[in-house]
Amino acid sequence: VRIGVIGDGGWGTALALLLRENGHSVRLWGAFPDYVEEVRRSRENVRFLPGVPLPADLSLTSDPADLVEGASLVVSVVPTPYLRVVARRFAPLLSPGTPLVSATKGLEKDTLARPTQILGEVLGESRPCAVLSGPSHAEEVSRGVPTAVVAGCPDGAVRTRVQEVFSNERFRVYGSSDAVGVELGGALKNVIALAAGICDGLQMGDNPKAALVTRGVVEIARLGSTLGARRETFFGLSGVGDLIVTAYSRHSRNRSVGERIARGEALESILSSSAMVPEGVFTTRALGERDAGVDLPIVSELYGVLFRRRDPREAVIRLMTRDLKEEVEG
Amino acid sequence: VRIGVIGDGGWGTALALLLRENGHSVRLWGAFPDYVEEVRRSRENVRFLPGVPLPADLSLTSDPADLVEGASLVVSVVPTPYLRVVARRFAPLLSPGTPLVSATKGLEKDTLARPTQILGEVLGESRPCAVLSGPSHAEEVSRGVPTAVVAGCPDGAVRTRVQEVFSNERFRVYGSSDAVGVELGGALKNVIALAAGICDGLQMGDNPKAALVTRGVVEIARLGSTLGARRETFFGLSGVGDLIVTAYSRHSRNRSVGERIARGEALESILSSSAMVPEGVFTTRALGERDAGVDLPIVSELYGVLFRRRDPREAVIRLMTRDLKEEVEG
């Protein structure tokens, strides 16, 4: 199978490598011709996946026409802030039947649109489209560390095809018909990971962090079900699984922003000192400023701490002293 | 309210302290008169909760009659291996209407009986009985670290009463009508924590550990639902929450047994070198030697590694290369 991968970040590159290992003919597209040329020459994506050699038969291109030519599957791994503009470059080139797999995690900053919603708007709604998400540090996948993810697509045949194309003995792909839930999990988990970082920064302990993660999943599942997702999806790999890997990893940007907030740094100074924007911050802002129509106690307190400079310790006490509740809502 | 707490281990002592802080009159019972006397004199449970001062108005006793006298609620926190024999000492003394709260985590070694099943057999089935479980290191609770747990009881009035008696601004108690699920979660999670320890010992990475924990919860939920529990309970504080705190903590006995197994130590030598028995080992054995009637791939592989000295790396590959599946079963 010839496959085109759009997006030469760490995750796009790792997925391109995986697909090539699985015997497919793979092209990887990057937006910047100079950088693509550099990667092609050095056979290393030094900025986004350093230390991982790229084999000679993984072709690299910055030409959209080159990427889609002959491709029977296209994988989109473009970060949400650039997704709309990149998709527009591919819109005239992609044949209507070519299935898409979106592996972008995150929502569009102000609209909270999901990546596949953006792709649908730009590329047409009728194209078969799946999402791929789960606990998957790119660097581990590129080293062949065992990883399990979910492919979400309401169409069973497309879903099975995606499972088969990506799976091997170190990369296991479960199927889910709930594409919306799979996609939302990977985005909303960043909000809870940020709160978990605050927990770390306050050096509260293991009990409160586990409680936060567990109740956080309940909260994003509650929100997700009002957005068309199924609750149970959030208790799977793309929800709680991805949240665990983010909340308990040294490397997570969202977690470490929370840690710095808890130590008293102002949000503005954290944001101005880092090149990459931790998207949990913007998702929290967008959620905090609209009426989601459901009870989101953790998100509300996090919004207050981030944007109203409320004391995080007092936020914890407010969360602990709410009315006593049943764990599972009817 | 006068409350008796049976069991002067770390968790029993932490709960006794919590209840006393909440304004109740609390008595704590220990099986060994000499040790109880020592704790009473030093005002410190030096063996099981060192460094935590015990206030003068927390009374200590080794006399069962003394413990139950005037108690309108009795909390049982006796480790499963001793629960049956301890309960027999209290059987003639407990009035039939006194409600019980069981906070013991774990199943009886060979029978896999739940603590409340044992209590029911010995003390009678008709007594109101709740369970309390969740991610709660005793040492953190005794220091007032924010903690959230679940009280499980089919009777709503008893459940609410337990929530109210235990809750304060640092200890939040959710309610659940699924007592069986709450109780099973705290026991079965040890099996998955043991497997997570193997993952740590093999230094596999963050992705496989998150996948193991997430799929592990699905597996114990599948098993639990055949034993009378509700699936969703395992995705709450007493299931995934407690599993996270165990699998990601330095202090967990079950996790560290897994770590040593992965480094090549034989199970017998690990068991003979530790005073406390990591109960995940026996739960795995009991589950591996009976036909649970459901698919338990992780438990089966863990059984092979522990009791048949199978190679853990090969077990991982077998788990990764099973037939491709849907994430949520119908």
Side-chain angles (χ1 to χ4, degrees):
Chain A
V1 179
R2 170 168 283 195
I3 299 175
V5 177
I6 304 177
D8 60 352
W11 188 215
T13 308
L15 287 176
L17 280 167
L18 171 78
L19 291 165
R20 186 201 143 272
E21 264 180 66
N22 287 0
H24 308 298
S25 157
V26 180
R27 267 181 211 173
L28 177 62
W29 179 90
F32 302 100
D34 289 356
Y35 186 63
V36 169
E37 188 50 42
E38 189 188 321
V39 173
R40 192 191 284 125
R41 260 199 319 266
S42 65
R43 287 285 138 195
E44 182 185 357
N45 189 339
V46 69
R47 226 179 281 171
F48 302 113
L49 201 63
V52 178
L54 305 181
D57 60 0
L58 175 68
S59 37
L60 290 136
T61 182
S62 56
D63 177 0
D66 199 23
L67 190 279
V68 301
E69 200 225 316
S72 56
L73 185 73
V74 168
V75 184
S76 165
V77 204
V78 180
T80 16
Y82 317 112
L83 181 56
R84 205 174 278 275
V85 60
V86 168
R88 284 199 189 110
R89 294 185 62 186
F90 284 88
L93 301 162
L94 265 178
S95 69
T98 310
L100 273 181
V101 177
S102 170
T104 300
K105 279 181 194 172
L107 303 176
E108 201 172 40
K109 194 171 141 179
D110 295 309
T111 65
L112 292 190
R114 287 176 281 108
T116 59
Q117 286 178 309
I118 299 170
L119 291 171
E121 286 170 31
V122 179
L123 303 173
E125 306 282 356
S126 62
R127 185 187 308 279
C129 188
V131 296
L132 194 75
S133 195
S136 50
H137 289 313
E139 179 267 338
E140 291 194 356
V141 172
S142 73
R143 287 193 291 117
V145 172
T147 301
V149 301
V150 199
C153 182
D155 180 327
V158 174
R159 189 161 80 231
T160 305
R161 180 148 172 244
V162 172
Q163 288 181 269
E164 287 167 354
V165 163
F166 282 90
S167 290
N168 65 35
E169 66 173 24
R170 294 174 308 283
F171 195 81
R172 182 164 171 81
V173 185
Y174 288 85
S176 168
S177 58
D178 181 18
V180 176
V182 171
E183 203 169 20
L184 281 176
L188 296 178
K189 69 113 197 330
N190 287 321
V191 174
I192 308 302
L194 221 160
I198 293 181
C199 217
D200 286 344
L202 295 175
Q203 298 185 282
M204 296 185 76
D206 293 342
N207 294 358
K209 190 169 171 182
L212 174 75
V213 165
T214 309
R215 294 302 302 172
V217 174
V218 172
E219 188 163 318
I220 64 176
R222 189 188 301 134
L223 173 61
S225 69
T226 70
L227 300 171
R230 285 203 305 267
R231 256 183 75 84
E232 58 262 41
T233 305
F234 294 89
F235 299 105
L237 293 162
S238 58
V240 71
D242 201 4
L243 174 55
I244 291 172
V245 96
T246 310
Y248 286 88
S249 154
R250 293 278 98 205
H251 313 298
S252 159
R253 228 161 40 238
N254 288 290
R255 198 199 61 78
S256 77
V257 167
E259 210 166 10
R260 292 168 69 180
I261 288 281
R263 288 185 191 136
E265 278 188 68
L267 181 60
E268 308 80 58
S269 89
I270 297 173
L271 294 184
S272 65
S273 72
S274 69
M276 304 277 269
V277 164
E279 60 139 324
V281 172
F282 296 107
T283 310
T284 304
R285 191 178 64 189
L287 289 174
E289 288 173 0
R290 60 176 67 189
D291 179 14
V294 283
D295 193 25
L296 301 176
I298 298 172
V299 172
S300 306
E301 291 296 345
L302 182 62
Y303 177 82
V305 170
L306 292 182
F307 298 103
R308 299 282 176 266
R309 304 207 69 164
R310 292 223 187 102
D311 182 333
R313 289 187 186 274
E314 286 169 17
V316 171
I317 292 174
R318 278 192 298 274
L319 287 171
M320 293 295 291
T321 51
R322 300 164 65 231
D323 290 345
L324 293 175
K325 283 195 158 42
E326 294 292 285
E327 184 174 43
V328 177
E329 290 129 35
Chain B
V1 180
R2 170 167 284 198
I3 300 174
V5 177
I6 305 176
D8 61 352
W11 189 215
T13 308
L15 287 176
L17 280 168
L18 171 78
L19 291 166
R20 187 204 142 269
E21 265 180 68
N22 288 359
H24 308 298
S25 156
V26 181
R27 264 177 215 179
L28 177 61
W29 180 89
F32 302 100
D34 289 354
Y35 186 64
V36 168
E37 189 49 44
E38 189 187 320
V39 174
R40 190 192 286 125
R41 259 202 317 268
S42 65
R43 288 284 139 196
E44 181 186 358
N45 189 338
V46 69
R47 226 180 280 172
F48 301 114
L49 200 64
V52 179
L54 305 182
D57 59 0
L58 176 68
S59 38
L60 290 136
T61 180
S62 56
D63 176 0
D66 199 24
L67 191 280
V68 301
E69 199 226 316
S72 57
L73 185 73
V74 168
V75 184
S76 164
V77 205
V78 180
T80 16
Y82 316 112
L83 181 56
R84 205 174 280 276
V85 61
V86 168
R88 283 197 192 112
R89 293 186 61 186
F90 284 88
L93 301 163
L94 265 178
S95 70
T98 309
L100 273 181
V101 177
S102 169
T104 299
K105 281 183 192 172
L107 303 176
E108 201 173 40
K109 194 170 143 179
D110 295 309
T111 64
L112 292 189
R114 288 176 282 107
T116 58
Q117 285 178 310
I118 299 170
L119 291 171
E121 286 170 31
V122 179
L123 302 175
E125 307 281 355
S126 61
R127 185 187 308 277
C129 187
V131 297
L132 193 75
S133 195
S136 49
H137 290 314
E139 180 267 338
E140 291 194 355
V141 172
S142 73
R143 286 192 292 116
V145 172
T147 300
V149 301
V150 199
C153 182
D155 180 326
V158 175
R159 190 161 80 231
T160 305
R161 176 145 176 248
V162 172
Q163 287 182 269
E164 288 168 354
V165 163
F166 283 90
S167 290
N168 65 33
E169 65 172 25
R170 292 174 310 283
F171 196 81
R172 182 164 169 79
V173 185
Y174 288 86
S176 168
S177 58
D178 182 17
V180 176
V182 171
E183 201 169 22
L184 282 175
L188 296 177
K189 68 110 198 333
N190 286 323
V191 174
I192 308 300
L194 220 160
I198 293 182
C199 217
D200 287 344
L202 295 175
Q203 297 186 283
M204 295 186 78
D206 293 341
N207 294 357
K209 189 169 171 184
L212 174 75
V213 165
T214 310
R215 294 302 302 173
V217 174
V218 172
E219 189 163 318
I220 64 177
R222 188 188 300 133
L223 173 61
S225 69
T226 70
L227 300 172
R230 285 203 306 267
R231 256 183 73 83
E232 58 262 42
T233 304
F234 295 89
F235 299 105
L237 292 161
S238 57
V240 71
D242 201 6
L243 174 54
I244 290 173
V245 97
T246 311
Y248 287 88
S249 153
R250 294 278 99 204
H251 314 297
S252 160
R253 226 157 45 233
N254 288 289
R255 199 199 61 78
S256 76
V257 168
E259 210 165 12
R260 293 168 69 180
I261 288 281
R263 290 186 190 136
E265 278 187 68
L267 181 61
E268 307 77 62
S269 91
I270 296 173
L271 294 184
S272 65
S273 72
S274 68
M276 303 278 268
V277 165
E279 60 141 325
V281 171
F282 296 108
T283 310
T284 305
R285 190 178 65 188
L287 289 173
E289 287 172 0
R290 60 174 69 185
D291 179 13
V294 284
D295 194 24
L296 301 175
I298 298 172
V299 172
S300 305
E301 290 296 346
L302 182 63
Y303 178 82
V305 170
L306 291 181
F307 298 103
R308 298 283 176 266
R309 304 208 67 164
R310 292 225 186 101
D311 182 333
R313 290 185 186 274
E314 285 168 17
V316 173
I317 293 174
R318 277 191 297 273
L319 287 171
M320 293 295 291
T321 51
R322 299 164 65 233
D323 290 345
L324 293 175
K325 286 199 157 43
E326 294 292 287
E327 185 175 45
V328 178
E329 291 127 32

